[in-house]
Amino acid sequence: MAAHMGHRLRKGATTGVVMAAAVAALAASQAPEAVQPPVDNAGGDHAIGAGDTTPPGGGSATGDSPYYTALPPLNTPNKPGASSNLPVITGPAEAGIPASVYSAYKRAELSIRSTDPDCNLPWQVLAGIGKVESGQARGGRVDANGTASPRILGPALDGNGFALITDTDDGAYDGDTKLDRAVGPMQFIPSTWATWGQDANSDGKKDPNNIYDAAQAAGLYLCANDRNLALKADLDSAILSYNHSTEYLNTVLSWVTYYQRGTHQIPDGTGVLPVDRSDDVGRGNRPHPTTPLPTVPTTQAPTPRTPEPKPSETRPGTVKPPTVPTKPPVTPPVTPPTVPAAVKVAQLVIVANEKLTTTTGSAFTGAPRVAALDAAGKPVAGVAIRFEITGTTDTRFAGGGTTATVTTGSTGLAASPALRAGAKTGSFTVRATVVGRTLHAAEFAATVTERRADTLTRVAGDPLSATTGTSFTQQIQVKATDKGALAPGVRVTAVIVTSKTDPKESTEGPSFRRADGTSVRTVTLETGTNGLLTFASGDLLAGDKAGTFYLQLTAPGGGTTFIDLTVTAPPTTDPEPTPEPTPSGSGSPEATPSPSASPSA
């Protein structure tokens, strides 16, 4: 990697110009606290509309969780450029930043400027965000290594007033295995920390609760997407990517301006913690993620010193206790930032399988594959690539999901898990994006078509016949093949027709019996794993009309066949002759003369 992260397009400005508007807003008010500039969304925590850039990864570093809304006092502590090594009792209490927290901000600025000078990151931006996110690590309650104790946790991100983010870290950072929470002095959500986390104090851990690690990670996050924070548009974009709220932007900028006009260090644990948060009004008064510290007086009385006894006053036989030297504060070495692999990516290119096709119920023969490249066209390893199935389809990745995240290897390549089509036909898209970046997505077109059969043949069997009012008892079995191979899973349409040359659904005669007892003359069936389609005995009713009908079978791919259906009327029997009635008054029947007999004379 070059001396800084990628090529930037310089736009030309200075940090002092960036803050002019915020300074003017503060100076315009005569109230004890500054009045925020007008905003276009009175609710505060809402997207501010056109012109805003999308935060890295499509979200925000904090999940848009609550933040402190208190503004700095109007009277700035000192003139611009004043010494930062002022005594504790100098200047308003709000101007004091706990020593470890102050050190972390300064070191993050120095570290990031060495690798990304074009970002122009001022440490006061980190201080402004740290103030509204955690009150400078709850007034500097950190241990000698800079780790917050106890850890700082935001409320569960359940979607009620802020983002809905289900657990992404199995509770590793926030102790919550159901929902995510913002963590640490800079309030990173676990999924963002997974991409941007740093080990700035060289202790072998990337800990969001450590102010050194968190400050450096926040600085890198703000510099993402080739931002130049000396430009107001880029500075606004960076802060909004942290928490997408106009109120948040204005509050942070107010503190940035305040700290730029002078500040000083105070002992860890003695800072002033704000009390008003963005979720205190209209959000059910959710409990604060931490318990506020008691207000620390702006001045501290010196600790009385016990005078040492003079040598002449030391009694014989007494031992003077040794003087224990005061240990200097732990100062971690300046560690160059570990630039997330995602930041190095300049483009995501399609390597293979740009167009994917398969048939219903089948696996796709290829998987989408992309390469992550830097500005010089070289592969970038260790990049998290997110593959997502979009569109109306029941196609799924192996395992049944519609999304999958894959990390690029040493060649910069990443392939999605195997894809398998469901029962739905049609087109959809598989999108590949870099996790933590807003680069152009690589898109793969995919199509699912019906399974095909170019031939349908009845398996040998008796001719089909039945009498009216009964059903066909002979078995009907049809074999489907495609290019000579058995064709399983093919949807075959069966229709009763009266003509092979003009096949239209018949309005009388045979019909199919459905499970609910009704009958129809068109059904759709599917061949089994052996490519066979079987009609069970009794599935086909003869109907009440005698005659010759046809069962037409058609499959996608051109396979068609007709099966003759003969319906006959039941046989009729002649009734026995009825005897002639006997004439009345006669004792016996008269003899009937033979036709050959001659009439009497």
Side-chain angles (χ1 to χ4, degrees), residues 466-480:
T467 58
T468 55
T470 65
S471 62
F472 292 87
T473 58
Q474 303 93 334
Q475 186 183 59
I476 307 173
Q477 198 169 57
V478 177
K479 179 175 67 175

Side-chain angles (χ1 to χ4, degrees), residues 453-459 464 475-480 490-497 499-500 503-504 512 521-527 531-535 540 549-565:
D454 55 19
T455 304
L456 295 175
T457 307
R458 184 189 175 196
V459 178
L464 299 176
Q475 186 183 59
I476 307 173
Q477 198 169 57
V478 177
K479 179 175 67 175
V490 177
R491 294 168 64 87
V492 178
T493 301
V495 186
I496 306 296
V497 299
S499 171
K500 293 182 180 181
K504 294 180 181 180
F512 301 100
R521 292 190 170 87
T522 298
V523 295
T524 300
L525 307 169
E526 187 173 299
T527 60
L532 295 179
L533 185 68
T534 302
F535 294 85
L540 194 58
F549 301 89
Y550 305 96
L551 172 60
Q552 181 191 33
L553 301 173
T554 306
T560 302
T561 190
F562 289 90
I563 300 175
D564 294 1
L565 303 175

Side-chain angles (χ1 to χ4, degrees), residues 582-599:
T582 301
S584 59
S586 172
S588 63
E590 292 183 356
T592 302
S594 171
S596 60
S598 300

Side-chain angles (χ1 to χ4, degrees), residues 78-127:
N78 299 292
K79 295 180 180 180
S83 170
S84 59
N85 297 316
L86 300 173
V88 174
I89 60 173
T90 301
E94 291 286 5
I97 298 179
S100 293
V101 179
Y102 177 86
S103 172
Y105 296 150
K106 294 283 288 185
R107 287 162 41 75
E109 176 193 57
L110 177 64
S111 178
I112 293 172
R113 281 183 182 271
S114 68
T115 57
D116 190 11
D118 291 337
C119 175
N120 292 305
L121 170 70
W123 68 265
Q124 291 91 343
V125 172
L126 297 175

Side-chain angles (χ1 to χ4, degrees), residues 290-349:
T290 59
T291 301
L293 294 176
T295 302
V296 178
T298 57
T299 60
Q300 295 182 348
T303 303
R305 297 180 58 189
T306 302
E308 294 287 341
K310 298 179 181 180
S312 59
E313 297 176 351
T314 303
R315 296 180 181 179
T318 61
V319 179
K320 180 181 177 180
T323 302
V324 179
T326 303
K327 293 183 179 180
V330 177
T331 304
V334 176
T335 304
T338 303
V339 180
V343 175
K344 303 176 185 177
V345 180
Q347 58 178 329
L348 197 63
V349 298

Side-chain angles (χ1 to χ4, degrees), residues 427-510:
S427 299
F428 62 94
T429 300
V430 178
R431 300 180 74 249
T433 55
V434 178
V435 176
R437 293 297 304 277
T438 55
L439 296 173
H440 183 71
E443 296 190 343
F444 299 80
T447 304
V448 178
T449 60
E450 287 272 14
R451 291 195 179 188
R452 301 167 62 87
D454 55 19
T455 304
L456 295 175
T457 307
R458 184 189 175 196
V459 178
D462 296 332
L464 299 176
S465 62
T467 58
T468 55
T470 65
S471 62
F472 292 87
T473 58
Q474 303 93 334
Q475 186 183 59
I476 307 173
Q477 198 169 57
V478 177
K479 179 175 67 175
T481 58
D482 191 49
K483 297 181 177 60
L486 291 174
V490 177
R491 294 168 64 87
V492 178
T493 301
V495 186
I496 306 296
V497 299
T498 56
S499 171
K500 293 182 180 181
T501 58
D502 185 21
K504 294 180 181 180
E505 182 183 87
S506 175
T507 58
E508 54 188 358

